[in-house]
Amino acid sequence: MQGGSTGIGYGLKYQARCIADVKADTDHTSFLTGTLSLKEENEVHLIRLSSGGTELVCEGLFSHPNEIWDLASCPFDQRIFSTVFSSGESYEAAVWQIPELYGQSNSPQLECIASLDAHSSKIKCVLWWPSGRHDKLISIDEQNIFLWSLDSSKKSAQVQSQESAGMLHHLSGGAWDPHDVNIVASTTESLIHFWDLRTMKKTNSMDHSHVRSIDYDSKNKHMLITAADESGINIWDLRMLKAPASELPGHSHWTWAVRSNPEYEGLILSAGTDSAVNLWFASPSNEELTYDSVYTSTAKWTESLLHSYSDYEDSVYGLSWSSREPWLFASLSYDGRVVVESIKPHLPKKL
């Protein structure tokens, strides 16, 4: 199903790739987004959906050094977030705090709580502990995975442990398992590795090439979703890693991002360089998978494209569900256009 936008728009001044739900803001539906301008002073925008749900309002506009390539919001403090940024020559990562006075006329400065400065390779992403108040962070560069302990009161972050992926692998991203917080999945050009944070050792791996995005299903502890250049969207049963349990066709060009819904099992968003966002539903047809069906790939799956949002004018790189209102999502296209859409008209009846 194709469809024009019925969503609510907001425009950034510059190009952008990153948007994140402000999970810790339980009173508003809020998102943070950051720009990617090589020549201009970059910006972080705190935007909120109005109480009537009819417009996106800028609650804070803050200057940020250098191009923002990754942005993630702290799950327990709505004023804290992380960025990975580049000056064009090197990549850095830091944790920031938003000043308390949002609405003042002169743009207040972000406060740098901590620099994640142990990296010597190109930094890819920062992952926050999946839920609740916790001081642990993960940062991933092309060669290493780091576990940090963050002390925001002392404005410091200390490396707790680190491990190398090995010279044969270049790490490209990762996801923290919300069902088992000791496990982090990382992606490389040819493999997905699973790491046990207690030992910082790889516990398992599976062959999968050119993964652009990876996400756990927050409601199904066995379900992992990946998006890859060549093979679209794959859904994996973590009890059976030899082959995907299900495949979705993805996009007509590169599928760049996948996100599972925080509340509804099997609802998946994907975004791509074909200037589209797709809403999918995928779930096992049987309520109870048997040992035989899981390990012999005979489990039947239901997959469908519920809707395609196709009126973007540029590639869509940023994608985030609202954790407060899980029927809403925000998308960000490269031209700096944010759109918040409701999926309610397209939900399967059984949800």
Side-chain angles (χ1 to χ4, degrees), residues 124-254:
K124 292 297 188 174
C125 65
V126 174
L127 309 176
W128 289 83
W129 188 270
S131 63
R133 183 173 289 275
H134 208 283
D135 65 345
K136 295 297 185 288
L137 283 173
I138 290 285
S139 60
I140 296 174
D141 66 30
E142 286 187 330
Q143 297 293 334
N144 303 280
I145 179 168
F146 288 82
L147 177 65
W148 298 81
S149 178
L150 174 70
D151 188 334
S152 55
S153 63
K154 293 183 179 179
K155 299 180 183 175
S156 67
Q158 302 294 328
V159 175
Q160 297 295 292
S161 52
Q162 73 176 94
E163 188 56 62
S164 169
M167 294 300 292
L168 296 178
H169 302 295
H170 278 80
L171 296 172
S172 56
W176 205 321
D177 189 340
H179 309 287
D180 183 350
V181 292
N182 294 310
I183 301 298
V184 165
S186 68
T187 57
T188 74
E189 69 279 2
S190 59
L191 291 167
I192 294 172
H193 294 302
F194 298 92
W195 303 78
D196 189 324
L197 298 180
R198 293 164 295 191
T199 61
M200 291 303 280
K201 300 300 181 187
K202 300 170 195 170
T203 60
N204 214 335
S205 63
M206 60 188 190
D207 293 329
H208 196 38
S209 297
H210 306 298
V211 175
R212 292 276 180 187
S213 184
I214 183 170
D215 198 21
Y216 285 90
D217 189 301
S218 58
K219 292 299 178 181
N220 184 335
K221 66 180 182 180
H222 301 302
M223 193 164 155
L224 183 74
I225 305 132
T226 58
D229 288 352
E230 299 168 4
S231 52
I233 301 161
N234 288 312
I235 300 166
W236 303 82
D237 189 310
L238 293 172
R239 297 163 293 181
M240 182 188 66
L241 297 180
K242 290 185 177 179
S246 181
E247 299 181 32
L248 303 173
H251 290 251
S252 59
H253 201 246
W254 290 342

Side-chain angles (χ1 to χ4, degrees), residues 36-172:
L36 190 76
S37 172
L38 183 60
K39 296 181 179 179
E40 306 296 336
E41 181 76 15
N42 283 285
E43 300 172 339
V44 171
H45 294 241
L46 172 63
I47 53 181
R48 285 181 181 159
L49 191 62
S50 64
S51 57
T54 57
E55 62 177 330
L56 287 169
V57 179
C58 180
E59 289 290 330
L61 177 61
F62 313 99
S63 62
H64 182 284
N66 304 326
E67 308 166 293
I68 301 172
W69 287 89
D70 175 75
L71 185 151
S73 182
C74 172
F76 58 83
D77 189 327
Q78 61 181 295
R79 292 172 54 207
I80 294 177
F81 66 97
S82 61
T83 59
V84 174
F85 51 97
S86 169
S87 61
E89 297 175 359
S90 62
Y91 282 73
E92 300 176 54
V95 178
W96 308 88
Q97 182 166 284
I98 293 171
E100 288 194 50
L101 297 175
Y102 299 145
Q104 57 196 48
S105 56
N106 57 329
S107 284
Q109 292 296 308
L110 294 169
E111 181 180 5
C112 182
I113 294 178
S115 293
L116 307 182
D117 53 8
H119 292 270
S120 56
S121 297
K122 182 178 178 181
I123 307 170
K124 292 297 188 174
C125 65
V126 174
L127 309 176
W128 289 83
W129 188 270
S131 63
R133 183 173 289 275
H134 208 283
D135 65 345
K136 295 297 185 288
L137 283 173
I138 290 285
S139 60
I140 296 174
D141 66 30
E142 286 187 330
Q143 297 293 334
N144 303 280
I145 179 168
F146 288 82
L147 177 65
W148 298 81
S149 178
L150 174 70
D151 188 334
S152 55
S153 63
K154 293 183 179 179
K155 299 180 183 175
S156 67
Q158 302 294 328
V159 175
Q160 297 295 292
S161 52
Q162 73 176 94
E163 188 56 62
S164 169
M167 294 300 292
L168 296 178
H169 302 295
H170 278 80
L171 296 172
S172 56

